[in-house]
Amino acid sequence: MDALQQLFVQIFGHDWGIPLSLLIKNLLLILAIVVPLLLAVAYLTFAERKIIAYMQVRVGPNRVTFFGISWLKGWAQPIADAVKAVMKEIIVPTGASKFLFIIAPILSLAPALAAWAVVPFSPELVLSDINAGLLYILAMTSLGVYGVIIAGWASNSKYAFLGAMRSAAQVVSYELAMGFALVCVLMMSASLNLGDIVAGQQGDSFLNWYLIPLFPMFLVYFISGVAETNRAPFDVAEGESEIVAGFHVDYSGMAFTVFFLAEYANMILVATLASIMFLGGWLPPIDMAPFNLVPGLVWLMLKIAFMLFFFLWFRATFPRYRYDQIMRLGWKIFIPMTLVWIVLLGAVMQLPESVQRSFPLNLWFG
């Protein structure tokens, strides 16, 4: 019994003290995850605007600042955007289903936040260390599409409905490819626990990371993650040139902002899972000084930032794909590729142990 439980037992007794102490402890842990996550979402939007501006030889946000400090020009822009969104009115169209129209953004954001409950930031720093952590994350992220579908239907607008149908088909297509890509990680780690998956990549250097033997699956997973989050060049669900703004065309104020938060929270989640599954999580690239002197949480944050940079780079580089091109990539290229890789990986794992321990298989199957 820890100090917090002892304090609550003394105040409320044994029957009420322990449940209340666990409740308070879990609420504090949830806040410790959600608050930094929302700040990261806010400043990811700022980073996106600045990075794309530099790529396009522009300046980006450079007006709103903190207390007039010159070297912080633009850094208060996310705060200003949040204040503006809170002050705007939420307008519900006349023919819309009001209850579903309001609840749809919540159904998009809630799974994006709930998925973080099982994400380990270090061997000890995890809210809920469950054995089926990866299965839980796949289930949570799959639920997010229901918010998009409900938003498109509840708006009573043909543009919103078209965007919702596109998003549903796209998520179903790339969810399969993403799941099959992660099956290869599960086969190599023999565990659904995210901490065990990182532990399976431990070794002297980055050659032990699953990125090396599963590089094609890493590409499939990451590109599928970009498509899952409806990011450019897969943003046909909100294609401005075709259907105005897609499923959130009728949303304004905080209702629109919640969709915005869900998209960026999912981006960070995809980058985090890519870092944990393929890039060794909190493990340093080389297990020697000075690399192993850096805290594991710092390595994980650097890897997440590196993966997020590609999200922003893709948006600044590639034109939007046509809908038929997106479907063809998912069904005719990614899914067959992952199935073939699963079969090949299974065949390698059935080889005699002496062969598996020969170079380079000893790096991957130990």
Side-chain angles (χ1 to χ4, degrees):
M1 187 180 297
D2 57 27
L4 182 64
Q5 287 184 349
Q6 292 177 0
L7 176 63
F8 274 74
V9 166
Q10 291 176 2
I11 298 174
F12 299 102
H14 191 273
D15 292 337
W16 287 95
I18 293 179
L20 282 174
S21 66
L22 291 175
L23 177 63
I24 297 297
K25 182 179 179 180
N26 286 331
L27 286 175
L28 291 174
L29 290 173
I30 290 170
L31 286 175
I33 294 174
V34 171
V35 172
L37 176 62
L38 294 180
L39 285 174
V41 166
Y43 277 93
L44 179 58
T45 64
F46 176 69
E48 178 176 26
R49 296 168 71 176
K50 293 294 282 188
I51 290 171
I52 293 178
Y54 284 122
M55 289 180 176
Q56 297 172 349
V57 199
R58 297 184 288 110
V59 178
N62 68 334
R63 288 290 183 269
V64 189
T65 184
F66 287 111
F67 312 110
I69 302 173
S70 59
W71 56 275
L72 288 178
K73 281 185 176 179
W75 281 81
Q77 188 66 51
I79 311 299
D81 291 340
V83 172
K84 182 186 75 170
V86 170
M87 295 176 66
K88 282 185 174 291
E89 180 183 3
I90 298 177
I91 300 172
V92 181
T94 305
S97 173
K98 186 173 183 179
F99 174 74
L100 293 177
F101 187 85
I102 298 298
I103 204 173
I106 301 171
L107 290 178
S108 287
L109 181 62
L113 297 180
W116 286 87
V118 298
V119 173
F121 301 97
S122 71
E124 300 83 18
L125 193 58
V126 56
L127 178 61
S128 181
D129 189 18
I130 61 176
N131 289 328
L134 183 58
L135 188 62
Y136 170 82
I137 286 180
L138 290 175
M140 284 293 106
T141 52
S142 300
L143 291 175
V145 70
Y146 288 103
V148 173
I149 294 172
I150 290 172
W153 184 86
S155 298
N156 196 25
S157 164
K158 59 177 177 290
Y159 293 124
F161 187 70
L162 281 172
M165 291 299 98
R166 286 181 174 189
S167 181
Q170 183 172 315
V171 167
V172 168
S173 304
Y174 286 90
E175 190 81 29
L176 289 171
M178 180 184 289
F180 286 143
L182 293 181
V183 166
C184 296
V185 176
L186 304 184
M187 291 171 68
M188 295 193 67
S189 64
S191 176
L192 280 165
N193 184 284
L194 299 180
D196 292 344
I197 291 173
V198 175
Q201 302 174 68
Q202 202 152 10
D204 296 333
S205 70
F206 63 89
L207 293 176
N208 293 85
W209 295 354
Y210 294 151
L211 175 70
I212 307 299
L214 299 179
F215 184 72
M217 295 300 97
F218 168 74
L219 293 179
V220 169
Y221 170 78
F222 188 66
I223 296 172
S224 299
V226 176
E228 282 266 304
T229 52
N230 291 320
R231 291 284 301 178
F234 300 98
D235 56 339
V236 292
E238 48 187 90
E240 298 89 350
S241 59
E242 307 155 20
I243 50 177
V244 188
F247 62 92
H248 55 58
V249 65
D250 291 316
Y251 282 87
S252 60
M254 276 306 296
F256 171 78
T257 306
V258 170
F259 275 122
F260 203 67
L261 291 173
E263 178 181 320
Y264 281 80
N266 279 320
M267 284 171 57
I268 299 174
L269 181 63
V270 168
T272 303
L273 287 180
S275 303
I276 289 174
M277 298 290 171
F278 298 97
L279 302 179
W282 53 81
L283 300 175
I286 301 175
D287 191 14
M288 60 181 292
F291 298 99
N292 56 9
L293 301 178
V294 178
L297 183 60
V298 175
W299 281 119
L300 181 60
M301 295 298 110
L302 289 174
K303 292 172 185 177
I304 293 171
F306 177 72
M307 298 307 303
L308 286 172
F309 175 75
F310 285 97
F311 275 96
L312 313 184
W313 195 358
F314 291 165
R315 180 179 175 183
T317 305
F318 296 108
R320 183 182 298 121
Y321 289 161
R322 291 200 317 266
Y323 183 68
D324 62 304
Q325 292 174 329
I326 292 175
M327 290 296 104
R328 183 170 67 248
L329 178 66
W331 287 101
K332 293 187 177 181
I333 298 176
F334 279 1
I335 292 177
M337 183 191 300
T338 53
L339 289 174
V340 168
W341 207 265
I342 288 172
V343 173
L344 289 176
L345 188 60
V348 170
M349 294 179 71
Q350 294 304 313
L351 292 174
E353 196 170 327
S354 58
V355 177
Q356 289 190 21
R357 291 188 177 182
S358 64
F359 185 83
L361 295 180
N362 65 326
L363 295 175
W364 307 332
F365 299 101

